[in-house]
Amino acid sequence: MNNNILYISYDGMTDSLGRSQVLPYLCGLAAKGFIITIISAEKPIVFEQGRSEVEEIVKNSKIDWQPIIYTKHPPIISTLIDILKIHRLAFKLHKTKQFSIIHCRSYISAFIGLAMKHKFGCRFVFDMRGFFADERVDGNIWNTKKLIYRKVYQYFKNKEKIFMTESDAIISLTNAAKSEILSWQLQNVDSEKITVIPCCADVNHFDFNKINDATINEWRKKLNITDNQFVLSYLGSVGTWYMLPEMLAFFSQLLKIQQNAIFLFITRDSEKLIRTEAEKFCIPAEKIVVQPATRNQVPSLASLSNASLFFIKPVWSKKASSPTKLAELMALGIPCLTNSGVGDVDDIIRKNPIGVLIEGWSKNDYRLAIEKMLKLPPEGKAVARQQACRQFSLQNGVNAYEKVYEKLCKC
């Protein structure tokens, strides 16, 4: 078979996720000789803002990018419209490119991959990313008390099994999700078919060795943070899965032990939302710092941190979650504090002196975690980076995808 690959994503390449978690992999695979075509659904405003940058990236890697415009309204029908648009474009492109592999990111894209397998005999890679339908329910996006969402949920759970049984390869973000899938004992789904590739980080970009003191001091001056303050940080958005009230409750306990502590939010989300929530815990306004950052600014800004905190709702669907922020923070050598019950995070932190797992949501749980955090060994910084390079490097991710492609191309 040829090495023509069609990558279909319902996430846009101009989205921050597309630029950080999709394009780096595909550029790496293109460098290995695979001929990559991308179909992605782009949000109009973000598309206009980031189009030229993405076009430059794909041009340099000789990737053919074929964007469609994402349809937002009305619910459900808009998704069907987009599936039809992607379906037509994919079939049209196949006439001239004769793709050997259709690599589908998540469930919406998988409808087209399965159809092309049935029609043209292409190999179908189901890169599931997570338990889609369960995430929609756990994230309170689909209310299954309503008949229409209950029917949609059941439909996608049935499709999930079909995608898994009829795909030629399955990509899972976590070993926990792989074990869960194998426990279902689906026909034509065994351990060899499922490859675990966690969300990776560009460890060359997130490298504390490349951050100089002058840059750190510039941030301290700008944010009015002194050298002797204890900086607890949070990196990323604060919506849907991330437990802002619980994180602020944790910080309120930290203030009782480290009175000089501040909570630095590195986020583009609403500062007003964060401050309003902080007031509920009687946290002084000067103890909260909110600073948006570009991707290039994140490593130096995050390096102000003595530790970084993130709580994720430990719901069933999060078995399949691989927090990108964990890989990035580890590569920067920053101790992480997070809750148990999410993907493979428990195993990663318990096996290495790189952070602290928080077992519950009580004040006592928080105090115990703070005590453990303050006793973490200084060598943990180097160990954290070593583990990030070994488990989460972008190159490892590219190599893992390459093995999947090569195996399917030989079939």
Side-chain angles (χ1 to χ4, degrees), residues 121-345:
C122 306
R123 300 288 184 257
F124 164 38
V125 176
F126 180 38
D127 198 340
M128 56 181 286
R129 314 312 299 173
F131 296 117
F132 172 75
D134 298 284
E135 285 185 336
R136 307 295 279 187
V137 173
D138 288 341
N140 299 316
I141 300 169
W142 290 352
N143 182 0
T144 51
K145 291 181 180 179
K146 296 181 179 180
L147 179 62
I148 186 169
Y149 286 114
R150 190 159 63 248
K151 292 292 185 183
V152 170
Y153 173 79
Q154 292 168 349
Y155 174 78
F156 272 97
K157 289 302 288 183
N158 289 333
K159 280 294 182 181
E160 179 177 69
K161 293 178 181 178
I162 294 171
F163 293 152
M164 289 181 180
T165 56
E166 296 199 30
S167 63
D168 296 284
I170 299 169
I171 309 297
S172 169
L173 293 175
T174 68
N175 287 294
K178 178 176 180 176
S179 297
E180 178 66 28
I181 294 166
L182 292 175
S183 74
W184 300 347
Q185 298 183 327
L186 298 175
Q187 184 178 4
N188 195 35
V189 177
D190 57 17
S191 182
E192 187 175 343
K193 186 176 184 178
I194 305 173
T195 300
V196 176
I197 306 176
C199 287
C200 295
D202 184 346
V203 295
N204 293 318
H205 180 65
F206 294 92
D207 184 353
F208 60 76
N209 297 299
K210 295 181 178 179
I211 299 168
N212 59 59
D213 291 339
T215 305
I216 295 291
N217 289 333
E218 286 176 11
W219 278 119
R220 287 190 183 279
K221 184 176 180 181
K222 178 179 179 179
L223 301 176
N224 197 27
I225 298 173
T226 61
D227 288 343
N228 68 335
Q229 285 184 290
F230 186 98
V231 180
L232 181 70
S233 69
Y234 174 80
L235 173 62
S237 66
V238 295
T240 309
W241 301 112
Y242 296 101
M243 306 169 69
L244 180 59
E246 287 78 4
M247 289 190 287
L248 289 165
F250 177 93
F251 179 65
S252 68
Q253 292 302 307
L254 176 62
L255 279 175
K256 294 177 181 179
I257 299 171
Q258 292 279 343
Q259 295 179 358
N260 66 341
I262 65 163
F263 202 167
L264 170 61
F265 286 84
I266 305 170
T267 182
R268 295 180 181 273
D269 286 352
S270 168
E271 179 173 349
K272 182 179 179 181
L273 168 68
I274 295 168
R275 292 193 176 279
T276 299
E277 196 65 39
E279 288 175 3
K280 296 177 184 178
F281 294 91
C282 300
I283 296 172
E286 67 272 16
K287 294 294 184 179
I288 300 292
V289 178
V290 182
Q291 177 62 48
T294 65
R295 186 171 184 272
N296 287 336
Q297 291 173 324
V298 167
S300 57
L301 183 54
S303 292
L304 294 174
S305 313
N306 295 94
S308 196
L309 173 72
F310 59 94
F311 289 165
I312 301 174
K313 291 180 182 178
V315 291
W316 183 88
S317 63
K318 290 288 106 178
K319 286 185 178 184
S321 179
S322 173
T324 307
K325 62 176 96 264
L326 176 63
E328 294 170 347
L329 292 165
M330 285 175 61
L332 288 169
I334 299 170
C336 295
L337 298 105
T338 189
N339 58 290
S340 61
V342 176
D344 296 334
V345 171

Side-chain angles (χ1 to χ4, degrees), residues 21-34:
Q21 282 296 309
V22 179
L23 285 174
Y25 289 114
L26 296 180
C27 290
L29 289 163
K32 289 179 174 290
F34 294 101

